[in-house]
């Protein structure tokens, strides 16, 4: 199918509305598996598809949202058994009058590093769904909150199907997804990976989605999709707070942002789609021109290269004996330490090079990339001379990275640029070819032109090509110094491309290297250098960049410069290892926990236990560190992945303490017991599982009853374990009644406990109305409730 021609055939494409809402109206009970209805009551889904088509839908979603192997395990069915009949039912229902989309929803488990599901496992799960749904007209990946999971699904679709792919993610009112992804990073990453249209669905109503869609419109050239809920959930009624007419009016406002594809999510029905379709039928599509800047990203952090940005060079074994030892010994903790030091010193991007003849570079690169992106939100630059290593890293990277590098040799252009295109990365082009590095700036410029031309031929956007004019050693190639500076200026002014330089090379073999390097850096910055690759731990190098930004008027009102140096004693030079010792000497364990370093935290704890009381470690270091991280999470300074990683690091410390206590026959340290459950009829347990992780790591014993839990089981567990706190979770408005029933049963049985409730559909007012003692908007607030109760 020519998807572009289909989109161009009319001003707006209309999707369908909610499937779950309609199935529940037909009698599906909370907790039932919707996908089983495809074979048990196919007339239900066919009627729903037909009604949406008659209401104006151009595309209907097959009833396959949760048809992955893990979610279907409880009912003994497979994707291959349930997806084909779902697609067939939809096709029969619309009878050629609408397209049928294979609907791919989240797996239902958190991916690494926050969860235990690997990227590779997620890919295989999605691959099964894609293959089973091969007879659909297109693929929709929707309701995603994790960019990593979305990437796994999109790669599975692109590599196992020729169908067009729409990707939509779910954002909260803070303009981030549940796990912290921002709209800019979503747009950069998914367009780069080859999605055919991107946008938002679920979570919010059309009015609340406006600022999020506006951001997306500034960061993508693709058609934009908007499939909102019917407003916000109303726990009082179990429904939503927006009428079809209000929904259509708010959706119409989104046309000003260039939205092309509209539909409805939770709470919407054929009437919503009919009114929406009628409203849009009299409107014209607003063409938009988007000038996307040069940028790279992690899920939480988009770095726009609109000013000099520092690429940290320390994750590289060249000339570093200790780093080589770390690679040979698979000492990931050392590598993570280098990443954290550079981030704190002022790096904006981290170069990752693990090339060493004595190791499996591909495996080490995968391990390094996965580990580093787990403990910092700085984007990464993947640095290798081997295309297969580059691809392994690009595949597991979460976001849009830089590839370092391609050069003017035909072999390099042929092997590297297709990888850059496939994975949507930016690329560093080195101005050398089969004849080596040209001595003259003009010849280096010609190679830069060649690299750019080949990149554009493959469809790599111009803003994704960065040029490295190559720094030659001044002691050996003194005449080449100014040629490099000249070449940087030519590339910047004539080609308009971003420029990169490995600055430190300039001073090899000279005394007082720092003086030479910092002056060369200043020269290059004034001639258009955008991305200096330096050691940010060297104060004079980082300072040169900060001073340039101040003097060039980039750092308005000197805010960043003053923030960096006000009241700070600046040393002339400091090595990475020395910096680590200086920064962490007072409290290495707190540093490890706060930065999610599990191995380092466990090792430090074991050493401390030789002469420190376990409770002192817990009360004076572990718990305060978790509190600090919790406060940063509440303020939006860090996001869910960092919160969970810190909790995991604390858990590794607690395990060491528990082992020590068991060896000495001491009584285990338990601050109190807590029963957790997702209420009857609700099969969503990710939020509850996150609460469990945090409570575990604060020293509470958690009795986890799982999901879809009968009220009597909660009562029995609370009495049997003599708990003082019960936590209940619900994600669907239709299961709030079960939450209220559970609370009533606890009260009727005179269980001496407090009750904390949470979930996306709850409000503080409704929580109090149904008899809860605490409302927790997130896992951190549940911990606060436990601390208040147990002291």
């Amino acid at each position: 199918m020519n998807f572009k021609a289909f989109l161009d055939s009319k001003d707006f494409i209309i999707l369908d509305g909610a499937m779950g809402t309609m199935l529940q109206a037909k009698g599906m009970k909370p907790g039932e598996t919707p996908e089983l209805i495809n074979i048990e009551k196919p007339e239900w889904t066919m009627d729903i598809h037909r009604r949406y088509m008659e209401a104006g839908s151009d595309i209907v979603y097959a009833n396959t949202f949760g048809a992955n192997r893990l979610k279907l395990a409880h009912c003994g069915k497979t994707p291959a058994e349930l997806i084909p009949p779902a697609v067939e039912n939809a096709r029969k229902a619309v009878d050629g009058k609408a397209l049928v989309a294979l609907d791919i929803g989240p797996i239902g488990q958190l991916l690494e590093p926050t969860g235990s599901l690997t990227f590779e496992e997620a890919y295989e799960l999605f691959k099964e769904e894609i293959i089973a749904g091969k007879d659909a007209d297109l693929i929709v990946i929707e309701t995603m909150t994790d960019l990593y999971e979305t990437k796994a699904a999109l790669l599975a679709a692109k590599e196992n199907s020729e169908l067009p792919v729409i990707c939509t993610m779910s954002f909260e009112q803070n303009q981030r997804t549940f796990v912290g992804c921002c709209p800019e990073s979503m747009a950069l990453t998914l367009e780069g990976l080859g999605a055919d249209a991107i946008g938002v669905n679920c979570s919010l109503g059309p009015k609340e989605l406006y600022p999020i869609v506006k951001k997306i419109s500034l960061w993508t050239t693709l058609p934009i999709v908007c499939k909102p809920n019917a407003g916000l959930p109303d726990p009082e009624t179990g429904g939503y707070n927006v009428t079809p007419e209000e929904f259509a009016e708010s959706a119409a406002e989104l046309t000003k942002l260039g939205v092309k594809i509209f539909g409805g999510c939770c709470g919407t029905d054929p009437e919503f789609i009919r009114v929406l379709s009628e409203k849009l039928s009299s409107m014209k599509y607003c063409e938009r021109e988007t000038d996307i800047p040069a940028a790279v990203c992690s899920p939480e952090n988009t770095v726009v290269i609109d000013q000099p940005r520092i690429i940290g060079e320390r994750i590289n074994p060249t000339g570093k004996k200790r780093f080589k030892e770390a690679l040979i010994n698979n000492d990931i903790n050392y590598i993570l330490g280098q990443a954290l030091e550079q981030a704190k010193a002022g790096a904006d991007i981290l170069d990752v090079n693990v090339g060493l003849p004595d190791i499996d570079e591909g495996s080490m690169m995968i391990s390094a990339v996965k580990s580093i992106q787990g403990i910092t939100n700085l984007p990464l630059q993947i640095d290798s001379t081997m295309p297969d290593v580059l691809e392994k890293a690009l595949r597991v990277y979460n976001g849009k990275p830089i590839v370092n590098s391609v050069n003017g040799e035909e072999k390099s252009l042929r092997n590297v640029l297709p990888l850059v295109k496939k994975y949507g990365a930016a690329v560093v082009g080195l101005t050398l070819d089969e004849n080596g590095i040209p001595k003259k700036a003009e010849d280096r410029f010609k190679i830069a032109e060649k690299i750019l031309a080949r990149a554009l031929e493959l469809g790599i956007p111009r803003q994704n090509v960065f040029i490295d004019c190559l720094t030659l050693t001044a002691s050996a190639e003194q005449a080449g110094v100014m040629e490099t500076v000249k070449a940087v200026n030519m590339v910047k002014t004539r080609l308009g491309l971003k420029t990169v330089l490995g600055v430190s090379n300039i001073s090899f073999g000279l005394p007082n290297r720092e003086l030479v390097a910092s002056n060369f850096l200043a020269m290059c910055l004034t001639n258009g250098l955008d991305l200096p690759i330096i050691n940010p731990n060297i104060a004079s190098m980082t300072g040169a960049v900060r001073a340039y930004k101040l003097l060039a008027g980039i750092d308005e009102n000197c805010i960043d410069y003053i923030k960096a140096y006000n009241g700070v004693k600046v040393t002339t030079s400091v090595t990475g290892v020395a910096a680590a010792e200086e920064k962490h000497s007072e409290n290495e364990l707190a540093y490890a926990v706060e930065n999610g370093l599990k191995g380092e935290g466990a090792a430090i704890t074991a050493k401390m236990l030789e002469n420190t009381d376990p409770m002192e470690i817990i009360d004076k270091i572990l718990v305060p560190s978790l509190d600090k991280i919790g406060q940063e999470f509440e303020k939006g300074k860090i996001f869910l992945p960092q919160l969970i990683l810190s909790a995991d690091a604390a858990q590794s410390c607690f395990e060491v303490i528990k082992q020590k206590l068991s060896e000495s026959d001491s009584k285990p340290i338990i601050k109190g017991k807590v029963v957790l459950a997702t209420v009857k009829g609700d099969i969503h347990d990710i939020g509850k599982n996150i609460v469990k992780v945090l409570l575990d790591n604060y020293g509470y014993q958690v009795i986890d009853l799982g999901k879809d839990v009968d009220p009597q089981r909660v009562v029995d567990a609370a009495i049997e374990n003599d708990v003082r706190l019960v936590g209940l979770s619900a994600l669907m408005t239709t299961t709030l009644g079960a939450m209220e029933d559970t609370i009533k049963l606890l009260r009727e049985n005179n269980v001496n406990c407090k009750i904390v409730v949470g979930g996306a559909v709850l409000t503080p007012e409704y929580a109090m109305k149904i008899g809860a003692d605490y409302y927790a908007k997130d896992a951190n607030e549940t911990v606060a409730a436990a601390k208040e109760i147990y002291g």
Side-chain angles (χ1 to χ4, degrees):
M1 180 185 68
N2 186 330
F3 189 62
K4 186 178 185 305
F6 171 72
L7 294 181
D8 291 342
S9 65
K10 54 192 301 188
D11 282 294
F12 300 103
I13 301 300
I14 307 299
L15 305 174
D16 60 11
M19 174 60 71
T21 299
M22 296 294 289
L23 288 174
Q24 287 163 9
K26 284 184 173 293
M28 184 184 75
K29 296 177 182 178
E32 286 190 48
T33 303
E35 291 75 21
L36 282 176
I37 291 173
N38 295 322
I39 56 176
E40 293 177 350
K41 297 175 181 175
E43 67 278 5
W44 282 16
T45 57
M46 291 176 68
D47 180 60
I48 293 167
H49 293 315
R50 188 180 300 110
R51 289 175 62 189
Y52 276 127
M53 181 267 294
E54 291 171 350
S57 294
D58 301 299
I59 300 173
V60 298
Y61 289 16
N63 181 32
T64 56
F65 179 80
N68 67 71
R69 176 166 28 97
L70 293 187
K71 281 189 174 179
L72 296 178
H74 72 282
C75 66
K77 297 295 183 180
T78 65
E81 291 175 290
L82 294 183
I83 290 178
V87 173
E88 182 62 21
N89 291 342
R91 196 168 298 288
K92 286 180 180 178
V94 300
D95 193 26
K97 298 172 184 174
L99 299 182
V100 175
L102 170 65
D103 188 11
I104 304 290
I107 293 167
Q109 292 189 16
L110 292 171
L111 265 68
E112 58 185 336
T114 311
S116 58
L117 190 69
T118 68
F119 178 82
E120 293 80 4
E121 289 169 339
Y123 174 90
E124 291 299 323
L125 289 166
F126 289 124
K127 178 181 176 180
E128 292 174 0
E129 294 182 81
I130 301 298
I131 292 172
K134 61 183 176 60
D135 292 330
D137 296 308
L138 69 156
I139 297 166
V140 170
I141 298 164
E142 66 161 336
T143 325
M144 293 290 180
T145 59
D146 185 348
L147 187 61
Y148 211 23
E149 184 176 11
T150 314
K151 176 175 179 174
L154 182 51
L155 278 178
K158 285 294 179 179
E159 294 177 348
N160 297 281
S161 171
E162 297 295 325
L163 299 178
V165 186
I166 293 174
C167 290
T168 56
M169 297 186 73
S170 297
F171 291 84
E172 300 180 4
Q173 287 186 297
N174 64 359
Q175 299 187 27
R176 291 187 178 267
T177 68
F178 174 62
V179 297
C181 179
C182 61
E184 300 93 327
S185 294
M186 180 205 78
L188 281 173
T189 303
L190 299 185
E191 177 164 354
L193 288 168
D196 295 281
I198 63 171
V200 294
N201 81 290
C202 206
S203 292
L204 302 170
K207 186 177 294 185
E208 292 79 21
L209 283 174
Y210 189 94
I212 297 165
V213 174
K214 184 175 182 179
K215 276 191 176 181
I216 293 172
S217 71
L218 300 174
W219 286 90
T220 185
T221 63
L222 295 176
I224 297 175
V225 185
C226 191
K227 207 170 192 278
N229 286 348
L232 299 175
D234 183 353
E236 295 281 353
T237 64
Y240 289 79
N241 67 353
V242 167
T243 67
E245 291 72 22
E246 292 168 336
F247 181 88
E249 286 294 330
S250 295
E253 287 295 306
L254 293 166
T255 62
K256 299 174 183 177
L257 301 177
V259 176
K260 176 73 175 181
I261 305 171
F262 287 91
C265 205
C266 299
T268 63
D269 58 24
E271 180 63 10
F272 276 80
I273 299 305
R274 184 191 66 78
V275 176
L276 173 67
S277 180
E278 288 182 359
K279 179 69 178 178
L280 296 178
S281 65
S282 61
M283 302 181 70
K284 291 293 183 182
Y285 171 63
C286 294
E287 297 283 350
R288 59 190 171 86
E289 293 185 8
T290 305
D291 185 16
I292 301 173
V296 290
C297 69
S298 67
E300 306 92 353
N301 179 26
T302 297
V303 175
V304 183
I305 306 167
D306 56 354
Q307 59 182 277
R309 303 290 189 182
I310 294 172
I311 300 179
E313 68 179 10
R314 296 292 298 168
I315 304 176
N316 189 319
T318 304
K320 304 181 185 75
K321 181 180 179 181
R322 177 66 185 90
F323 197 98
K324 291 178 181 177
E325 291 173 355
L327 291 177
I328 293 170
N329 297 323
N330 196 28
D331 185 359
I332 288 293
N333 283 330
Y334 179 82
I335 297 173
L336 296 183
Q338 293 293 314
L340 289 170
E341 287 167 21
Q342 293 182 96
K344 292 182 185 300
D348 300 294
I349 300 163
L350 298 178
D351 186 84
V352 180
N353 184 317
V354 294
L356 201 64
D358 304 320
I359 65 168
D360 179 346
E361 185 181 346
S363 297
M364 177 56 75
M365 180 64 88
I366 291 172
S367 179
V369 168
K370 284 187 174 185
S371 299
I372 293 167
Q373 70 186 9
I375 54 98
T376 178
N377 65 10
L378 296 188
L380 302 185
Q381 175 169 279
I382 312 301
D383 188 351
S384 178
T385 60
M386 302 172 64
D388 64 315
V389 173
L390 290 174
E391 176 153 31
K392 288 177 179 179
L394 287 167
R395 195 167 187 83
V396 301
Y397 180 69
N398 191 7
K400 177 186 175 183
I402 305 173
V403 168
N404 188 13
S405 56
V406 71
N407 61 56
E409 296 181 28
E410 279 301 317
K411 182 179 179 182
S412 178
L413 293 166
R414 191 169 55 248
N415 291 335
V416 176
L417 289 181
L419 297 177
V420 174
K421 171 61 178 173
K422 176 180 178 179
Y423 292 101
V427 63
V428 173
L430 306 182
T431 54
L432 61 85
D433 57 16
E434 291 85 353
N435 299 314
I437 302 173
K439 292 187 178 296
K440 293 295 183 181
E442 290 78 8
D443 295 323
R444 297 187 206 180
F445 180 81
K446 289 178 182 177
I447 296 175
E449 287 184 305
K450 177 182 178 181
I451 293 170
L452 174 61
R454 292 290 288 272
L456 294 175
E457 284 176 15
L458 281 175
I460 297 170
R462 187 184 192 91
Q463 70 267 19
N464 286 352
V465 180
F466 310 154
I467 297 297
D468 186 339
C469 295
L470 299 169
T471 303
L472 302 178
T473 304
S475 59
E477 299 274 356
Q478 193 169 6
V481 173
M482 293 310 297
E483 291 298 320
T484 295
V485 175
K486 181 180 178 182
V488 167
N489 186 273
M490 291 174 68
V491 168
K492 187 65 178 287
T493 57
R494 296 189 193 178
L495 293 181
L497 300 181
K498 302 302 179 183
T499 56
V500 188
L501 271 183
V503 176
S504 303
N505 297 341
I506 194 71
S507 60
F508 281 147
L510 292 172
N512 199 355
R513 290 190 57 189
E514 190 178 317
L515 179 63
V516 176
S518 60
N519 276 274
F520 177 66
L521 173 57
M523 292 166 62
C524 292
L525 288 169
T526 58
N527 278 275
L529 176 60
D530 299 290
L531 293 166
I533 303 175
I534 62 174
N535 179 359
N537 294 317
I538 299 177
S540 63
M541 299 296 283
T542 308
V545 176
R546 289 175 177 148
Y548 170 78
K549 291 182 183 181
L550 182 155
L551 297 170
I554 297 168
D555 179 9
E556 293 184 12
N557 300 315
C558 314
I559 292 173
D560 293 337
Y561 186 88
I562 293 171
K563 181 180 177 182
Y565 296 116
N566 189 29
V568 175
K569 181 180 179 181
V570 180
T571 56
T572 56
S573 177
V574 77
T575 66
V577 175
E581 292 173 352
E582 180 181 323
K583 291 175 183 175
H584 315 160
S585 58
E586 288 188 7
N587 205 333
E588 292 179 336
L589 183 55
Y591 180 87
V593 171
E594 290 164 17
N595 289 282
L597 302 176
K598 292 174 64 175
E600 187 174 332
I604 295 169
T605 301
K607 186 175 181 180
M608 288 184 69
L609 284 170
E610 294 174 5
N611 51 28
T612 308
D613 181 75
M615 285 308 301
E616 184 175 340
I617 296 175
I618 293 171
D619 292 336
K620 293 187 177 181
I621 302 175
L622 297 182
V623 171
S625 295
L626 286 172
D627 286 343
K628 179 181 177 183
I629 288 296
Q631 290 164 8
E632 291 185 356
F633 175 74
E634 290 294 333
K635 295 174 182 176
K637 292 182 178 180
I638 64 167
F639 302 98
L640 186 63
Q642 292 78 34
L643 180 70
I644 296 298
L645 284 170
S646 291
D648 286 343
Q651 181 65 25
S652 71
C653 302
F654 277 116
E655 291 301 325
V656 173
I657 292 172
K658 289 177 184 177
Q659 179 64 31
K660 178 74 172 179
L661 293 175
S662 67
E663 291 171 358
S664 62
D665 294 325
S666 298
K667 187 178 180 180
I669 300 167
I670 299 174
K671 292 190 172 184
K673 297 179 181 179
V674 182
V675 166
L676 291 182
T678 300
V679 300
K680 182 67 178 175
D682 204 315
I683 58 173
H684 303 87
D685 63 351
I686 286 182
K688 184 262 299 171
N689 292 342
I690 292 168
V691 172
K692 180 183 183 299
V693 170
L694 283 192
L695 288 172
D696 279 340
N697 295 327
Y698 268 92
Y700 298 98
Q701 181 181 341
V702 177
I703 297 94
D704 183 3
L705 302 182
K707 56 191 176 184
D708 189 21
V709 181
D710 186 84
Q712 189 60 52
R713 274 192 66 204
V714 178
V715 173
D716 293 342
I719 294 173
E720 180 182 340
N721 293 281
D722 190 25
V723 302
R724 291 167 55 191
L725 180 63
V726 170
L728 301 176
S729 173
L731 188 68
M732 304 185 295
T733 56
T734 53
T735 59
L736 289 178
M739 178 178 281
E740 185 174 5
D741 292 342
T742 305
I743 294 172
K744 285 181 180 178
L745 199 59
L746 285 164
R747 302 304 190 207
E748 289 171 2
N749 283 269
N750 297 314
V751 180
N752 184 26
C753 70
K754 299 290 186 181
I755 301 168
V756 56
V757 297
V761 296
L762 278 170
T763 63
E765 296 77 18
Y766 189 74
M768 298 304 107
K769 180 180 177 180
I770 62 176
D773 300 289
Y774 298 93
Y775 163 76
K777 69 176 182 180
D778 53 41
N780 206 47
E781 290 195 356
T782 306
V783 172
K787 290 164 74 173
E788 183 176 319
I789 292 166
Y790 284 108

